[in-house]
Amino acid sequence: MIKRMHVAVNCSDLQKSLDFYKAFFGTEPTKIKENYAKFELEDPALHFSLNVRLFEKSGVLNHLGFQVNDTKDVLAIGERLRQSGLLLIDEMNTTCCYAVQDKVWVYDPDGNAWEIFYTKEDSEFESAGPRDDISLCCVPTETTAATAECCTTIPTGSTTIKLESFKNEKTCCN
């Protein structure tokens, strides 16, 4: 029987990543070493580790996320993340990846995208509606997150999203 899912990501600066993930997960890590940290979450059941390694900024990872029970959970987690100093992009009632969803997004210090989402219903369309131009799930080749007041350019595969997502590192865009 499966105990919990395991996700390991490379990071360039362990302390910056620890600051982000402590705020994001709302808990302290269970282990910290010079080049490694581990979080063992119960809800959701996740074994998450950070590994300080050299890596290419562009890779095969698209994004990570947590599916929640309803929009109320999306809003509650979004508020907790905002209170922790993380800036989010909100996408409510958006059609993305063949589903109508309510979601929020944050980025870790190395540009890994995380979404908290609730799927309202299936859709026949990959993306649709007035926010096609800034949907993070089905992004065009280059995007600027219009909702972000202060931002840092973050590469996400072949796309670029302008968004500030790390605590205490706000750099305003011009």
Side-chain angles (χ1 to χ4, degrees):
M1 176 168 238
I2 294 174
K3 183 174 179 178
R4 61 174 57 110
M5 180 180 169
H6 172 62
V7 174
V9 298
N10 292 331
C11 67
S12 57
D13 184 313
L14 186 61
Q15 190 56 57
K16 283 183 181 179
S17 292
L18 278 171
D19 291 345
F20 173 86
Y21 283 105
K22 284 194 255 185
F24 182 66
F25 292 138
T27 189
E28 294 293 316
T30 55
K31 184 186 285 188
I32 301 175
K33 299 294 183 182
E34 180 181 324
N35 63 350
Y36 175 85
K38 174 176 69 173
F39 291 83
E40 291 182 304
L41 308 177
E42 296 301 322
D43 185 21
L46 176 66
H47 175 277
F48 182 84
S49 64
L50 297 164
N51 302 275
V52 179
R53 303 275 190 281
L54 294 176
F55 61 93
E56 293 292 324
K57 285 287 185 177
S58 61
V60 297
L61 180 64
N62 183 289
H63 68 276
L64 303 152
F66 294 113
Q67 184 175 21
V68 296
N69 293 319
D70 53 33
T71 300
K72 185 173 144 183
D73 289 345
V74 171
L75 296 173
I77 293 170
E79 183 57 29
R80 181 184 66 76
L81 295 174
R82 279 187 187 90
Q83 292 296 317
S84 295
L86 304 179
L87 182 64
L88 309 177
I89 291 181
D90 294 294
E91 285 192 317
M92 297 296 150
N93 205 38
T94 188
T95 300
C96 178
C97 301
Y98 301 96
V100 178
Q101 301 171 333
D102 287 337
K103 61 176 82 181
V104 295
W105 293 87
V106 295
Y107 286 83
D108 77 4
D110 289 300
N112 292 307
W114 283 87
E115 71 173 324
I116 308 299
F117 70 99
Y118 167 62
T119 301
K120 297 166 131 181
E121 62 188 56
D122 284 339
S123 171
E124 295 298 316
F125 305 100
E126 182 177 16
S127 63
R131 293 187 53 111
D132 275 356
D133 61 324
I134 62 171
S135 175
L136 299 181
C137 180
C138 311
V139 289
T141 27
E142 194 166 303
T143 299
T144 301
T147 58
E149 292 175 16
C150 288
C151 54
T152 296
T153 299
I154 307 223
T156 57
S158 63
T159 64
T160 301
I161 306 297
K162 287 187 178 252
L163 170 69
E164 165 51 48
S165 62
F166 338 121
K167 193 173 186 176
N168 301 325
E169 289 190 19
K170 293 190 175 167
T171 307
C172 289
C173 296
N174 295 323

